[in-house]
């Protein structure tokens, strides 16, 4: 069992010297988890836009570390067995954070989840996303913060829309929230977010994890054409969409992070399992 120690004064100086995400990486945790430790130790934190002002050369006031009747450090035990959970973890060992009766209800619900081949009613975020990519005029496009950043080929878009709608509806039914954020806009002052900056999050209370779907790419060695032989730059490789999708939980603490289409199974066939692992994360 590994232990991780957070010293109040040391951590205070660290979070005011560097962005939270940088400090969190040194501790091997997420910035959300580090914020929780700071809250326990009564450490004031930089507000939104702080680092953008610093980067722009503005003077910023650092609040002093307040007196506190709480501890001057915390020691956290890290269960390496849990962090190393394999995809083959017994079903009985999943969702242990839920009461037993609720756990069985969730498992039964997830076991019955299916992704339809067609869908007549999409989740509201998917509706807005479809409208954004379909609209020709800016005036008919929904707000950027309502648009999912879709990075798959056109042939796979409808499939992704249906999958997202299914998993969003399931997670919301189980008490989770689905939000779109543009982390880059939170780091840079007066930055206007673009759709390509958008990240998709599943949240519960103050916690959230990032998820996304991408299309697997096939890399092949590029064979130069006669026309290219006289050019200064010739690409070393060609990249081709495969039509195979890859679902990812982008969280340091996620025990399982990846599901891919294979020759025998698609991510749609694993939707119930994916929902459970998102909850675990």
């Amino acid at each position: 069992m590994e232990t991780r120690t957070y010293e109040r004064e040391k951590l205070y100086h660290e979070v005011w010297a560097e962005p939270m995400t940088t400090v969190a990486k040194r501790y091997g945790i997420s910035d959300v988890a580090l914020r929780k430790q700071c809250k326990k130790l009564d450490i004031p934190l930089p507000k939104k836009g702080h680092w953008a002002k610093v980067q722009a050369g503005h003077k910023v006031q650092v609040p002093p570390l307040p007196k506190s009747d709480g501890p001057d450090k915390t020691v956290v035990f890290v269960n390496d067995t849990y962090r190393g959970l394999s995809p083959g973890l017994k079903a009985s060992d999943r969702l242990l954070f839920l009461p037993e009766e609720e756990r069985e209800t969730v498992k039964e619900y997830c076991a019955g989840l299916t992704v339809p081949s067609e869908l007549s009613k999409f989740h509201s975020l998917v509706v807005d996303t479809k409208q954004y990519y379909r609209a020709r005029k800016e005036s008919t496009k929904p707000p950027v913060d309502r648009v999912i950043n879709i990075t798959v080929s056109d042939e796979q878009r409808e499939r992704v829309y249906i999958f997202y709608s299914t998993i969003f509806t399931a997670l919301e039914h189980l008490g989770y929230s689905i939000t779109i954020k543009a982390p880059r806009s939170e780091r840079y002052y007066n930055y206007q977010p673009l759709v390509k900056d958008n990240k998709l999050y599943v949240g519960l209370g103050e916690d959230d994890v990032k998820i996304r779907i991408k299309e697997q790419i096939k890399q092949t060695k590029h064979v130069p054409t006669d026309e290219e032989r006289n050019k200064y730059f010739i690409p070393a490789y060609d990249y081709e969409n495969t039509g195979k999708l890859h679902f990812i939980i982008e969280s340091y603490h996620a025990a399982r992070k990846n599901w891919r289409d294979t020759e025998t199974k698609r991510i749609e066939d694993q939707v119930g399992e994916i929902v459970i692992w998102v909850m675990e994360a």
Side-chain angles (χ1 to χ4, degrees):
M1 181 85 67
E2 176 192 345
T3 62
R4 188 181 289 124
T5 302
Y6 301 93
E7 298 177 7
R8 185 170 185 259
E9 187 169 352
K10 177 175 180 288
L11 188 55
Y12 159 74
H13 289 296
E14 287 178 317
V15 297
W16 282 98
E18 294 179 293
M20 185 69 68
T21 51
T22 302
V23 180
K25 285 180 181 178
R26 283 205 299 272
Y27 281 92
I29 60 175
S30 69
D31 59 325
V32 173
L34 186 61
R35 284 180 185 277
K36 287 185 175 182
Q37 295 303 325
C38 290
K39 189 173 181 181
K40 288 179 184 178
L41 294 169
D42 194 21
I43 297 173
L45 296 175
K47 294 182 179 180
K48 183 178 179 180
H50 171 84
W51 294 109
K53 292 178 182 177
V54 171
Q55 192 174 33
H58 297 294
K59 283 188 177 182
V60 292
Q61 188 173 2
V62 178
L65 182 63
K67 292 182 180 180
S68 175
D69 295 330
D72 60 359
K73 69 178 180 180
T74 59
V75 179
V76 177
F77 292 92
V78 182
N79 190 332
D80 289 328
T81 304
Y82 179 78
R83 288 174 62 190
L85 287 176
S86 69
L89 183 71
K90 291 189 299 181
S92 59
D93 292 332
R94 298 179 187 174
L95 304 178
L96 292 179
F97 54 88
L98 294 176
E100 185 175 356
E101 185 176 339
E102 185 179 349
R103 189 186 317 149
E104 294 309 313
T105 300
V106 170
K107 287 180 181 179
E108 184 178 346
Y109 173 77
C110 290
L113 280 176
T114 57
V115 180
S117 57
E118 295 182 358
L119 201 59
S120 58
K121 185 177 181 181
F122 290 86
H123 187 275
S124 61
L125 285 178
V126 175
V127 171
D128 285 346
T129 300
K130 293 180 74 172
Q131 174 61 20
Y132 177 87
Y133 287 111
R134 185 172 51 217
R136 296 181 179 231
K137 297 179 180 179
E138 288 297 323
S139 60
T140 61
K141 290 184 177 183
V144 170
D145 62 1
R146 293 282 303 173
V147 182
I148 304 167
N149 182 18
I150 303 291
T151 58
V152 303
S153 60
D154 290 343
E155 292 77 12
Q156 299 304 316
R157 277 182 183 271
E158 192 67 16
R159 186 181 164 201
V160 169
Y161 291 148
I162 294 174
F163 188 89
Y164 271 147
S165 284
T166 303
I167 197 171
F168 291 173
T169 301
L171 285 163
E172 287 179 342
H173 172 77
L174 294 167
Y176 292 76
S177 62
I178 312 298
T179 56
I180 295 172
K181 303 177 188 177
R184 188 176 178 186
S185 68
E186 297 175 1
R187 296 196 297 267
Y188 296 96
Y189 186 64
N190 273 349
Y191 179 80
Q192 294 298 319
L194 306 172
V195 170
K196 67 178 182 178
D197 300 323
N198 285 351
K199 309 295 181 186
L200 194 56
Y201 292 84
V202 178
L204 182 67
E206 295 181 357
D207 293 330
D208 56 23
V209 292
K210 187 164 45 175
I211 63 171
R212 70 184 175 108
I213 294 175
K214 69 176 184 178
E215 186 170 355
Q216 298 178 57
I217 305 296
K218 181 180 179 182
Q219 175 182 288
T220 56
K221 191 171 182 179
H222 179 72
V223 179
T225 64
D226 291 337
E227 291 181 356
E228 289 177 326
R229 294 184 193 283
N230 296 323
K231 291 185 177 180
Y232 177 75
F233 173 76
I234 301 175
Y237 297 96
D238 292 323
Y239 299 92
E240 178 185 359
N241 291 316
T242 63
K244 293 182 178 180
L245 298 183
H246 177 187
F247 181 91
I248 308 165
I249 301 175
E250 295 188 333
S251 169
Y252 174 81
H253 295 286
R256 181 174 178 184
K257 299 178 172 68
N258 300 284
W259 288 262
R260 294 179 175 86
D261 284 343
T262 66
E263 297 301 324
T264 58
K265 188 183 289 187
R266 306 198 310 167
I267 62 171
E268 287 90 340
D269 303 323
Q270 307 167 76
V271 64
E273 178 184 318
I274 290 173
V275 168
I276 287 176
W277 282 108
V278 169
M279 293 174 68
E280 285 279 356

